[in-house]
Amino acid sequence: MEHEISVSPEEISLPESWNKLPMIAGGVGLISLIASYMMGHGSQQFSFSYLTGFMYWLTLALGGLFFVLLHYLARSGWSVVVRRQAEHVMGTLPVFVLLFIPVALGMHDLYHWTHADAVAHDPLLQHKAPYLNETFFFIRAAFFFAVWTMLSMYFRSQSAQQDKSGDPDITQRLQTRSAPGMVLFAVTIMFASFDWLMSLEPHWFSTIFGVYIFAGCVVSIFAFLILLVLQLKGSGALTHIVTWEHFHDLGKLLFGFVVFWAYIGFSQFMLIWYANIPEETFWFDMRWDDPTWRWTSIFLAAGHFVVPFFFLITQWVKRQRLTLTLAALWMLFMHYVDIYWLVMPTLHHEAFQLSVLDFTCWLGIGGLFLAVLFSLMQRSTLIPVKDPRLQESLAFENP
Amino acid sequence: MAHAAVVADIDPVAGRAPLIEGDPSFHDITEVVSAPMEWKPPLGWYIFLGVSLCFLGLFGFSIGWLFWEGTGIWGNNIPVAWAWPIVNFVFWVGIGHAGTLISAVLFLFRQKWRTSINRTAEAMTIFAVMCALVFPGIHIGRPWLPYWMFPIPNQMDMWPQFRSPLMWDVFAVSIYGTVSLLFWYIGLVPDLATARDRATTRTRQVIYGIFALGWRGSFRQWLHYEKAYLLLAGLATPLVLSVHSVVSFDFATAQLPGWHTTIFPPYFVAGAIFSGLAMVITLMVICRVIFKLEHVINMLHFDRMARLILLTGSLVGLAYSLEFFIAWYSGTEVELFAFLNRARGPFAWAYWIMVTCNVVVPQVFWFKKARTHIPTLFIASIFINIGMWFERFVIVVTSLHRDFLPSSWDYFTPTFWDFAFFAGSFGLFFTMFTLFVRFMPMVAMAEVKSVLPQAHVHNRPE
């Protein structure tokens, strides 16, 4: 290396204008949640709207965990300058333990299999009872949260420690531990998807379902990172640190995983459609027979794949502030449509029906998520200042 | 021990390890890679080619006998109407996945270590796809009418049945074969020009010259070349996923328990990459010694491939478990029966070979010592090749041999000709491969030179 690229302290600390954001986001979040509770408590709509919002933000946080694990597993260099934001995103995971409480309390509204009288008349549910029962459901949820909390806290604290000590062994250690971490991540996300989303229709089953949720996680984290870092740059931070070369790469990965999501979604749909076995097809029928759901399904396929595919495929889109922001915002919106499409037909099987609770629950959980995220951002520098690969990342250019 | 020292620094935290050992010059690379094309081949090469040709002959003879006598020479019979031929087809297509993964996907991910192995892996891909295509070609019942599978206008107004997954295979595999061939050839052009320029006889000069397409290494040519390469990599990447996904559709679109499960497409892709990388390791372990390429294809490359094997092997293991779990969770009796029958039925031996080879064996690669220990790599890669053949056998045969009608349940036994076809396909593969290492530059010289430290004036980290 011929010369070191220096980093000025102003560029790597959170801009002043962001200091009030945790308060604002937290306030908005809390008010929205309280309003949602007042408007909807005790109603099925509240539980479903809440689950939709919960899964939306949880999948994003899990995407952050995946990004960090992948960064170490692949021994990446280019992504060092954006990794800290992903660490903060996954840093919100412990909060989801608390945010899970309304899901747990509403589980009788959400999950048909929790009704003893329904199980008594349903041989299939009886068969599944060793897995689908409340005790085991909570044991598993505890396991998932334990794994996610442990992984996110460990990787964050080690990274923060490196900021102080600059010890390269920390990177070495995290690289080694990211591999078993990835195994745990894969297993937990598969079964969490089965538990919290697939079992909404307890008769339905699909082996690829967890992979589909995973694909959504990854799309949302890349979109979110792009947006967050662009905003930071807009406020005058990271100006010379995160360049268009990094955004170009994030955009490429966003594009790649948009295609991956479509590949997994298509595989699931096509195989079920083609084999045409009623015990599987009813799940898609619920999203197709009614014209409003049918248009939602078509909108999902077009908006989550076709449009962003043609939009993101050109190079200049990934290297312009306006276009990249649009793409990221759009994908974050479509991710909501995706989660909504997975959850809501169970409640509103007769027709698509928006509720104000859908919005307030999403906003409420999102507000708390962002409040935690912003306050984590205040507490450390915006990049891992002593990462041994920082120089490599700063000097990064697309070949 | 010198070996330990080398192993110790393939993963530095600061900077990146040099990809080629011994700090060779550009010219050294040209010399060492061109040598096998310019040597008088050693006796061993002739012996290996001879043995491969014998097996190729067996393949030809078996195909002749098949055409004369009919498919009755195989063990295929109701209920196991699909057996070894389709197993061999999927096996070879799977092997053919590593080439494009290494050349396209790893290229897009800027994994520069790929340069040492991509040429051979791509060649392996093309030969594997050739072997694969033979099987459906001879298994269509009327082998003189394969053109019916292509949408060619004809006087009978015949049109392919596009609703059949087997038709999708024709398109998926032939597109894959074509793009792999193009990709391989584009990458070869600068190296063929080197071979042309070094030619000592007129014949070599003319033949390499024709295929080098007038390459002069000018700035403009390199510019076009690199653009074409990037575009092809972009086009080939979805193909890595699509081919084996479409192959998995052959099974997964059916209603047969054990075949119909939605995770098949990504699970088949992971398995294919897994088996392809194992085959690359098997071949590389031998070739690097024979052709004195130990410093070009070194422990760093094996370490990276072993990591990918561990990743894909674990994905395959996860898919096996999910299949089993959902078979139970679905509450469908036949589904659960099919899976229990795999693990406990008459073909349990095949199932447990599969699990041992594909899930247990690759776990040794958690350890760096195993990832950089040649005998371990070689033995594990052989086990994985065996395991992946058995995976397809388990999927095809165990799902069929006990179908919905218990009165027609039967045990499948292969015949001599089943073995002959399988061994014969290896004959085709190794004949092609033996010729390749003799007449083609088996390492992408131009690309390896681009990752040498002196190729970077500013010496930026790679």
Side-chain angles (χ1 to χ4, degrees), chain A residues 2 75 77 127-128 131 171-172 179 205-208 249 263 267 270-271 274-275 279-280 388-389 392 396 398, chain B residues 11-13 16 110 163 165 245 249 252-253 255 260-263 265-266 304 326 328-332 366 458:
Chain A
E2 81 267 43
R75 303 181 310 121
H127 171 83
K128 295 179 196 207
Y131 184 80
T171 302
Q172 190 71 57
F205 52 91
S206 170
T207 35
I208 208 174
D249 259 17
Y263 160 66
S267 298
M270 201 283 285
L271 292 175
Y274 196 104
E279 52 210 57
E280 292 177 347
R389 296 216 174 88
E392 185 182 341
F396 168 66
N398 276 283
Chain B
D11 293 321
V13 174
R16 300 288 175 182
R110 297 192 291 263
R163 281 177 292 185
S245 297
F249 291 165
T253 52
Q255 295 174 340
H260 177 70
T261 176
T262 47
I263 205 157
R304 304 299 187 260
I326 294 286
W328 171 81
Y329 178 87
S330 73
T332 316
W366 282 100
H458 301 294

Side-chain angles (χ1 to χ4, degrees), chain B residues 21-84:
Chain B
E21 284 171 9
D23 200 17
S25 67
F26 291 154
H27 183 68
D28 295 338
I29 296 289
T30 310
E31 285 295 333
V32 73
V33 177
S34 302
M37 295 191 285
E38 293 160 359
W39 282 347
K40 188 176 161 12
L43 183 64
W45 182 82
Y46 286 104
I47 295 173
F48 198 80
L49 182 65
V51 174
S52 302
L53 280 171
C54 288
F55 279 97
L56 179 61
L58 177 68
F59 201 31
F61 182 78
S62 309
I63 293 173
W65 180 238
L66 173 80
F67 287 175
W68 179 261
E69 191 70 12
T71 48
I73 65 168
W74 288 330
N76 303 20
N77 208 339
I78 303 299
V80 187
W82 260 13
W84 279 39

Side-chain angles (χ1 to χ4, degrees), chain B residues 273-274 277-279 281 304-314 362 365 381 384:
Chain B
I273 292 169
F274 178 59
L277 284 165
M279 188 62 109
I281 288 185
R304 304 299 187 260
M305 284 192 277
R307 283 163 191 250
L308 284 173
I309 283 189
L310 177 60
L311 171 73
T312 47
S314 304
F365 291 142
S381 76
I384 292 165

Side-chain angles (χ1 to χ4, degrees), chain B residues 363-380:
Chain B
Q363 303 307 323
V364 302
F365 291 142
W366 282 100
F367 304 100
K368 192 177 202 162
K369 276 210 174 106
R371 294 198 299 265
T372 50
H373 185 242
I374 294 293
T376 313
L377 282 159
F378 187 71
I379 293 167

Side-chain angles (χ1 to χ4, degrees), chain A residues 68-354:
Chain A
V68 174
L69 289 174
L70 184 65
H71 172 92
Y72 285 109
L73 191 60
R75 303 181 310 121
S76 298
W78 73 273
S79 50
V80 171
V81 292
V82 289
R83 194 190 71 223
R84 184 49 53 85
Q85 310 319 320
E87 285 172 11
H88 293 321
V89 172
M90 76 173 182
T92 61
L93 277 168
V95 182
F96 282 89
V97 180
L98 290 176
L99 292 170
F100 187 69
I101 293 170
V103 177
L105 293 175
M107 72 182 299
H108 289 281
D109 293 333
L110 293 165
Y111 304 110
H112 178 62
W113 53 263
T114 56
H115 297 269
D117 51 330
V119 177
H121 298 104
D122 193 329
L124 265 178
L125 293 186
Q126 284 163 21
H127 171 83
K128 295 179 196 207
Y131 184 80
L132 291 182
N133 64 67
E134 290 180 39
T135 317
F136 194 25
F137 178 87
F138 285 120
I139 293 175
R140 288 194 304 270
F143 174 70
F144 303 149
F145 282 120
V147 167
W148 297 335
T149 304
M150 185 193 79
L151 283 175
S152 68
M153 284 173 61
Y154 178 72
F155 276 80
R156 280 192 66 239
S157 69
Q158 289 289 304
S159 177
Q161 214 174 320
Q162 196 176 44
D163 275 6
K164 295 194 196 90
S165 68
D167 183 3
D169 289 348
I170 291 179
T171 302
Q172 190 71 57
R173 199 151 59 226
L174 293 183
Q175 277 171 188
T176 313
R177 302 202 174 152
S178 63
M182 200 57 116
V183 173
L184 283 171
F185 172 79
V187 173
T188 49
I189 196 171
M190 292 297 134
F191 284 92
S193 314
F194 291 161
D195 281 9
W196 299 341
L197 292 173
M198 199 168 86
S199 85
L200 284 167
E201 286 301 329
H203 292 147
W204 190 69
F205 52 91
S206 170
T207 35
I208 208 174
F209 191 79
V211 188
Y212 181 80
I213 301 302
F214 161 74
C217 281
V218 186
V219 169
S220 68
I221 184 63
F222 284 123
F224 188 80
L225 277 183
I226 288 171
L227 211 57
L228 184 66
V229 180
L230 273 175
Q231 289 310 310
L232 283 171
K233 258 176 100 84
S235 317
L238 302 174
T239 325
H240 301 98
I241 295 171
V242 184
T243 65
W244 284 107
E245 303 298 331
H246 301 101
F247 284 113
H248 188 185
D249 259 17
L250 288 169
K252 282 189 261 183
L253 285 163
L254 177 64
F255 172 78
F257 278 92
V258 161
V259 180
F260 181 74
W261 174 91
Y263 160 66
I264 298 298
F266 174 77
S267 298
Q268 174 165 276
F269 168 72
M270 201 283 285
L271 292 175
I272 289 177
W273 168 76
Y274 196 104
N276 207 10
I277 302 173
E279 52 210 57
E280 292 177 347
T281 51
F282 81 93
W283 193 85
F284 281 105
D285 285 342
M286 288 168 67
R287 287 153 180 80
W288 192 258
D289 286 345
D290 167 69
T292 53
W293 277 119
R294 182 178 312 163
W295 283 108
T296 315
S297 303
I298 293 169
F299 180 68
L300 178 64
H304 206 303
F305 170 61
V306 182
V307 174
F309 176 84
F310 287 108
F311 188 68
L312 277 167
I313 198 165
T314 45
Q315 195 179 79
W316 64 271
V317 168
K318 291 172 278 212
R319 301 181 70 100
Q320 301 279 333
R321 190 183 168 87
L322 178 68
T323 46
L324 195 60
T325 309
L326 271 178
L329 276 174
W330 178 255
M331 287 325 297
L332 287 172
F333 166 65
M334 284 316 299
H335 183 56
Y336 185 80
V337 177
D338 190 20
I339 302 285
Y340 189 89
W341 179 85
L342 290 168
V343 173
M344 281 298 170
T346 301
L347 179 66
H348 297 301
H349 35 84
E350 61 298 329
F352 177 88
Q353 191 189 330
L354 269 181

Side-chain angles (χ1 to χ4, degrees), chain B residues 49-303:
Chain B
L49 182 65
V51 174
S52 302
L53 280 171
C54 288
F55 279 97
L56 179 61
L58 177 68
F59 201 31
F61 182 78
S62 309
I63 293 173
W65 180 238
L66 173 80
F67 287 175
W68 179 261
E69 191 70 12
T71 48
I73 65 168
W74 288 330
N76 303 20
N77 208 339
I78 303 299
V80 187
W82 260 13
W84 279 39
I86 197 89
V87 172
N88 297 342
F89 163 70
V90 183
F91 172 77
W92 280 116
V93 177
I95 297 285
H97 262 62
T100 321
L101 173 93
I102 289 167
S103 51
V105 179
L106 296 189
F107 177 75
L108 294 185
F109 282 121
R110 297 192 291 263
Q111 298 297 308
K112 300 204 183 261
W113 57 272
R114 65 182 262 290
T115 51
S116 294
I117 50 165
N118 69 341
R119 173 70 44 73
T120 312
E122 286 168 48
M124 179 202 81
T125 289
I126 290 157
F127 307 146
V129 170
M130 285 167 59
C131 294
L133 281 173
V134 171
F135 286 96
I138 57 176
H139 199 340
I140 53 175
R142 296 170 195 166
W144 55 96
L145 295 173
Y147 65 92
W148 281 15
M149 290 188 288
F150 298 98
I152 311 166
N154 56 55
Q155 80 284 5
M156 296 175 290
D157 270 351
M158 285 258 306
W159 202 240
Q161 172 55 287
F162 284 110
R163 281 177 292 185
S164 162
L166 299 179
M167 273 315 303
W168 311 340
D169 258 359
V170 174
F171 292 101
V173 180
S174 53
I175 290 171
Y176 184 69
T178 312
V179 173
S180 301
L181 192 63
L182 275 174
F183 209 5
W184 186 57
Y185 181 57
I186 298 265
L188 264 169
V189 167
D191 288 358
L192 289 174
T194 306
R196 171 199 64 198
D197 296 344
R198 290 172 58 95
T200 43
T201 66
R202 182 73 186 148
T203 326
R204 291 177 74 96
Q205 193 185 21
V206 169
I207 294 177
Y208 284 123
I210 289 171
F211 287 104
L213 302 177
W215 180 266
R216 287 290 176 275
S218 74
F219 185 77
R220 179 183 284 266
Q221 283 179 335
W222 277 110
L223 192 70
H224 288 177
Y225 168 87
E226 293 197 350
K227 276 199 176 146
Y229 202 85
L230 179 63
L231 280 175
L232 270 174
L235 289 171
T237 296
L239 286 176
V240 177
L241 294 165
S242 73
V243 195
H244 230 59
S245 297
V246 172
V247 170
S248 82
F249 291 165
D250 291 351
F251 306 100
T253 52
Q255 295 174 340
L256 196 75
W259 286 8
H260 177 70
T261 176
T262 47
I263 205 157
F264 255 34
Y267 147 51
F268 264 50
V269 172
I273 292 169
F274 178 59
S275 69
L277 284 165
M279 188 62 109
V280 175
I281 288 185
T282 314
L283 295 172
M284 286 303 183
V285 162
I286 301 168
C287 287
R288 72 194 279 267
V289 177
I290 297 179
F291 300 107
K292 302 190 171 54
L293 290 166
E294 284 106 328
H295 60 302
V296 179
I297 303 161
N298 54 50
M299 285 311 149
L300 183 140
H301 303 93
F302 286 114
D303 174 74

